[in-house]
Amino acid sequence: MSSRERVLGRVRRALADVPKDDTPYEQVVPRDYLREHGERSVEETVNLLAENLADYRALVHRTTTDELPYLIMRLLAERGPQYVLVPPWLPPEWMSAADPTRVHDRAVSTPHELDKVDSVVTGCAVAIAETGTIVLDGSPDQGRRRITLVPDHHICVVRVPEQVVSSVPQALERLDPARPLTWISGPSATSDIELDRVEGVHGPRTLEVVLVSDQPSADVNS
Amino acid sequence: MSGTFVGMPAFPKAAHEAVGNQTLRGNLRHATHTIRAKRAKAVAEVSDWAALREAGKRIKDHTLRHLDRYLEQLEESVTAAGGTVHWAADAEEANRIVAQLVKETGESEVVKVKSMATQEIGLNEALEAEGIRAYETDLAELIVQLGKDRPSHILVPAIHRNRGEIRDIFEREMSEWGRPAPEGLTDTPAELAEAARLHLREKFLRAKVGISGANFMVAETGTLVVVESEGNGRMCLTLPETLISVVGIEKIVPTWRDLEVFLQTLPRSSTAERMNPYTSMWTGTTDGDGPQTFHLVLLDNGRTDTLADEVGRQALRCIRCSACLNVCPVYERAGGHAYGSVYPGPIGAILSPQLRGTASEIDASLPYASSLCGACYEVCPVAIDIPEVLVHLRERVVEGGQVVREGNKVVLQPAKGHAAERTAMRAARWAFTHPGALRTGQRLASRTRRLHPRTLPGPGRAWSDSRDLPAVPAEPFRDWWQRTNGGKGGAK
């Protein structure tokens, strides 16, 4: 008997005492929890995203589509990286004002090569306001998972309001499970020393999130 | 390598030693109190917590009820997405499968994401015996591994260490394993985290094989989920060419949508965050991104035996958040090592005796490692009634009876240590069913009450060590009732 049959057989015997129950799954679980917490206008949702991102030590910037290239230029200049990595299909205008040598992510770049890169600029798939989370799904403007992991500085551009949802349930609805997903809430952190949170372990220690909209925001702060 | 739990003394003995350790108690008190307040705040932020908790419980119960079906569905989805599924009935088989898979890659070292399942089966030691070195990459696991220590908490295995001790371990041991600790390392948490970053980076960059567990497996899509903070998980899950995930069969959820419940309850319950810094989700393999070979090892190792127990099976709902450890007054004082298992605290006290059986001294004593205060049940995000299971397991230890071990029905003998208790209970039963004898006995006790000792003799001594014996009244209640006509007679 294979281990597969052994384990499945044990499961069936273990459940022999349980009365038969063919209730469809949709009726088994009460989904009476909230789809989102509280009522907010679109603008308030975006503000909440900014607030929660900042609460977990992400640096948040707001700008317009027109100003975006200059903001990215400025953020990179402040950091002064020698190499900047971009995914294969980052909108070219985002980097049009930036100065450093751009390095496209090639499938062949080894982890060691990636380790020499200082900064990475990507888009995202969706952002969750209630938890201050950005989710990457490996689309061409986000690239392979490793490019937002090995460099120490990640600039992530979120298109607001269209990429912003309020809650975790709303985010899952938008995501495709077949894609490799990375949920990011602030820079790398740990609670392993005395159960107290400190930022900065293996992932990027600086996470900058740029909220970009077509309309100038009421409180542009960058 | 971290020490093993073989030959652990019973909980009372281990706990007795642990409570004498002032540093340990200080460290645990500090850490558990820090997290308690934060968790309460994080939970209070979501007004529908009770509904999320109920949904989580129902999802898990339903999954367990149809576990065979969901396991088959998961196998199908993972296979369709490019993964290979293996089945392991016990720890030994799981270790053998993993060692074989690593050998097939030709590698002799692996990087590991923190995983309770691989701790449980002693994978690192098994790989070591096969000449394969496993590097733990979670900060707390690294502290445990470098300190040749044992884990003492589900989420933060090095919770028993304070920052000063961690600094000393890094300074002393890091050079043995790779890049030494930086010169002049201080005990500030940020510097310690930086030291770990530097030490592990070279290992991540050269790793060809990664080993992980998983927090959730979605049957419908074949998606695995790892929830973490540091980014070591992402490193192990994306940089190596081969990924091997060892996951307990109870980690399944039926649908993609079910994650919306647990991704809200798990981070708030474990690290008291709205969301943990990193969550990775992968479905089989993806061309050009991440490991191109993916193996999933489905682990039983006592889970189906636990499933066979009508009361105890609810322990399989556990999502390993560790909230129950952080609120437990017994854990706070005794520490995690006293539980003699990788699963300490209240959840460990019901999980270990079910996964391993109650044959050993430590496992038979674990159901008693609790004051039954119920704080663990209250914070549990999947509503496991831990006190109920503890009492149920105490009954099993004392009275024996039929249980399932390794898939077979066996009959447990009543525990020997409880002979005196059983004798006392038998005597009580006899007395209460013989009113005449009871009356005579009560009168005798009243008349001789001045002669009663303050402590019990023989096996009762331990009980009366820390308790006063009840004072016997001058007159038995029933005599008083009769004499005073139920208190109406006016006489005292």
Side-chain angles (χ1 to χ4, degrees):
Chain A
M1 187 166 47
S2 72
S3 291
R4 181 183 189 278
E5 296 317 311
R6 182 171 298 130
V7 173
L8 286 172
R10 285 179 183 178
V11 170
R12 286 175 190 133
R13 284 198 301 281
L15 294 167
D17 69 303
V18 186
K20 202 170 154 58
D21 176 17
D22 290 326
T23 318
Y25 186 53
E26 303 77 56
Q27 290 167 30
V28 172
V29 182
R31 304 277 180 183
D32 51 359
Y33 47 85
L34 302 172
R35 300 310 293 168
E36 60 182 297
H37 296 87
E39 280 179 31
R40 283 175 296 267
S41 67
V42 171
E43 200 185 332
E44 284 168 336
T45 304
V46 174
N47 288 342
L48 182 66
L49 172 67
E51 205 178 291
N52 283 336
L53 278 164
D55 192 33
Y56 284 160
R57 310 284 183 277
L59 306 173
V60 183
H61 310 274
R62 290 185 166 196
T63 190
T64 60
T65 314
D66 294 342
E67 293 295 318
L68 179 65
Y70 304 101
L71 176 63
I72 291 179
M73 174 185 74
R74 186 165 64 74
L75 296 178
L76 289 173
E78 279 168 10
R79 178 95 183 177
Q82 198 176 357
Y83 297 111
V84 179
L85 193 63
V86 294
W89 296 105
L90 195 77
E93 62 275 14
W94 290 6
M95 298 295 286
S96 57
D99 180 32
T101 320
R102 265 181 293 160
V103 183
H104 283 274
D105 172 41
R106 298 179 308 271
V108 290
S109 33
T110 65
H112 282 97
E113 284 166 342
L114 279 176
D115 198 34
K116 297 194 181 79
V117 174
D118 312 281
S119 301
V120 57
V121 182
T122 71
C124 77
V126 66
I128 309 167
E130 285 182 9
T131 57
T133 304
I134 51 174
V135 186
L136 309 184
D137 72 356
S139 293
D141 64 337
Q142 297 151 51
R144 301 189 295 163
R145 284 170 284 175
R146 60 180 58 185
I147 69 167
T148 52
L149 173 64
V150 181
D152 204 13
H153 177 216
H154 179 195
I155 299 175
C156 181
V157 178
V158 183
R159 294 186 187 86
V160 302
E162 59 268 32
Q163 288 191 311
V164 184
V165 296
S166 279
S167 66
V168 171
Q170 291 170 349
L172 282 162
E173 274 170 14
R174 282 207 193 183
L175 293 165
D176 176 2
R179 307 190 74 94
L181 301 173
T182 306
W183 297 44
I184 299 172
S185 309
S188 155
T190 182
S191 299
D192 279 357
I193 300 166
E194 301 174 5
L195 262 175
D196 211 0
R197 182 176 159 124
V198 283
E199 276 79 24
V201 200
H202 304 295
R205 286 178 290 188
T206 309
L207 172 66
E208 305 207 60
V209 180
V210 180
L211 307 180
V212 58
S213 61
D214 291 335
Q215 306 296 322
S217 160
D219 56 340
V220 175
N221 56 10
S222 51
Chain B
M1 286 286 102
S2 51
T4 61
F5 290 100
V6 177
M8 275 290 293
F11 181 82
K13 186 165 185 294
H16 189 76
E17 282 159 21
V19 292
N21 183 339
Q22 294 291 331
T23 315
L24 176 73
R25 286 192 61 174
N27 294 352
L28 281 172
R29 192 186 146 76
H30 171 70
T32 55
H33 284 245
T34 306
I35 197 78
R36 259 179 229 180
K38 284 205 277 187
R39 178 206 157 271
K41 196 167 155 247
V43 167
E45 267 187 20
V46 280
S47 52
D48 57 339
W49 186 258
L52 286 167
R53 186 177 187 239
E54 181 62 23
K57 175 188 169 191
R58 297 275 191 98
I59 292 169
K60 285 286 187 172
D61 275 350
H62 169 85
T63 313
L64 292 170
R65 170 64 189 86
H66 302 280
L67 191 57
D68 51 340
R69 171 148 62 85
Y70 286 121
L71 280 166
E72 287 176 317
Q73 192 189 3
L74 176 79
E75 181 185 42
E76 208 173 296
S77 322
V78 170
T79 309
T84 309
V85 177
H86 309 260
W87 299 69
D90 54 29
E92 199 246 338
E93 186 174 15
N95 288 333
R96 203 171 55 232
I97 293 170
V98 176
Q100 186 57 36
L101 290 171
V102 176
K103 280 185 185 165
E104 280 167 16
T105 67
E107 293 295 314
S108 59
E109 61 175 47
V110 299
V111 285
K112 278 188 70 201
V113 192
K114 177 175 153 27
S115 133
M116 293 310 298
T118 59
Q119 280 275 8
E120 174 192 322
I121 61 176
L123 179 64
N124 292 6
E125 292 76 7
L127 290 178
E128 183 86 58
E130 298 282 336
I132 300 160
R133 200 162 209 200
Y135 295 113
E136 292 291 350
T137 65
D138 168 76
L139 178 51
E141 290 284 8
L142 176 72
I143 296 164
V144 168
Q145 187 172 46
L146 292 178
K148 300 177 183 66
D149 205 348
R150 281 182 284 119
S152 70
H153 189 278
I154 289 175
L155 179 73
V156 190
I159 196 173
H160 56 290
R161 297 289 191 190
N162 63 35
R163 56 187 75 186
E165 294 173 286
I166 295 168
R167 191 203 74 96
D168 294 346
I169 291 169
F170 278 10
E171 200 159 61
R172 202 174 58 232
E173 303 291 340
M174 269 186 172
S175 55
E176 289 283 307
W177 290 79
R179 181 170 174 159
E183 292 269 327
L185 180 67
T186 74
D187 67 357
T188 52
E191 263 192 53
L192 296 171
E194 164 80 12
R197 177 185 171 96
L198 295 170
H199 178 77
L200 287 172
R201 178 127 314 206
E202 55 173 22
K203 297 191 168 61
F204 289 134
L205 296 180
R206 69 165 189 247
K208 296 281 181 279
V209 182
I211 294 181
S212 83
N215 295 91
F216 307 101
M217 306 186 281
V218 183
E220 170 188 56
T221 60
T223 309
L224 268 74
V225 182
V226 163
V227 171
E228 54 133 354
S229 294
E230 296 165 14
N232 65 306
R234 293 180 66 193
M235 293 275 182
C236 297
L237 298 171
T238 52
L239 294 184
E241 292 160 6
T242 301
L243 173 62
I244 305 167
S245 301
V246 182
V247 190
I249 53 174
E250 83 285 18
K251 294 281 166 203
I252 298 189
V253 295
T255 67
W256 173 248
R257 186 184 174 185
D258 296 326
L259 294 175
E260 71 188 19
V261 174
F262 300 108
L263 289 180
Q264 294 192 78
T265 51
L266 178 56
R268 289 178 205 268
S269 297
S270 56
T271 48
E273 292 166 307
R274 280 179 212 110
M275 190 60 88
N276 50 290
Y278 297 130
T279 298
S280 296
M281 302 180 181
W282 73 98
T283 304
T285 55
T286 306
D287 280 344
D289 184 356
Q292 294 303 295
T293 308
F294 170 54
H295 296 278
L296 171 61
V297 181
L298 293 171
L299 177 71
D300 178 353
N301 204 36
R303 284 159 178 77
T304 49
D305 295 343
T306 310
L307 186 65
D309 188 309
E310 217 175 303
V311 178
R313 62 169 65 120
Q314 59 182 304
L316 296 175
R317 291 205 292 261
C318 178
I319 54 171
R320 312 281 190 264
C321 72
S322 70
C324 63
L325 279 65
N326 298 336
V327 296
C328 179
V330 177
Y331 176 84
E332 182 190 332
R333 286 160 182 84
H337 290 155
Y339 293 81
S341 156
V342 296
Y343 303 110
I347 187 63
I350 63 169
L351 210 45
S352 310
Q354 297 201 86
L355 293 177
R356 305 191 298 207
T358 49
S360 73
E361 205 188 348
I362 178 74
D363 288 321
S365 72
L366 282 176
Y368 296 88
S370 167
S371 65
L372 301 180
C373 78
C376 47
Y377 176 37
E378 211 164 287
V379 296
C380 178
V382 286
I384 301 170
D385 192 341
I386 294 177
E388 182 191 19
V389 183
L390 284 167
V391 172
H392 169 72
L393 292 174
R394 287 181 188 187
E395 193 179 313
R396 179 195 288 178
V397 169
V398 176
E399 302 200 330
Q402 190 177 284
V403 294
V404 178
R405 294 306 311 153
E406 292 170 24
N408 301 312
K409 286 184 179 160
V410 292
V411 175
L412 281 185
Q413 292 305 309
K416 287 196 187 72
H418 299 266
E421 192 178 332
R422 266 196 303 277
T423 311
M425 286 300 166
R426 262 200 299 273
R429 187 163 58 212
W430 183 85
F432 285 122
T433 49
H434 294 77
L438 180 65
R439 191 180 309 122
T440 314
Q442 284 177 332
R443 286 179 185 159
L444 188 68
S446 285
R447 277 184 211 126
T448 59
R449 67 195 190 114
R450 291 190 199 291
L451 306 172
H452 293 176
R454 286 175 179 274
T455 55
L456 287 174
R461 185 189 300 276
W463 192 86
S464 58
D465 259 355
S466 53
R467 296 172 181 87
D468 288 330
L469 287 181
V472 177
E475 182 182 22
F477 173 79
R478 296 198 303 176
D479 288 359
W480 171 85
W481 182 270
Q482 222 155 30
R483 182 167 60 76
T484 62
N485 191 20
K488 286 179 195 147
K492 281 209 165 177

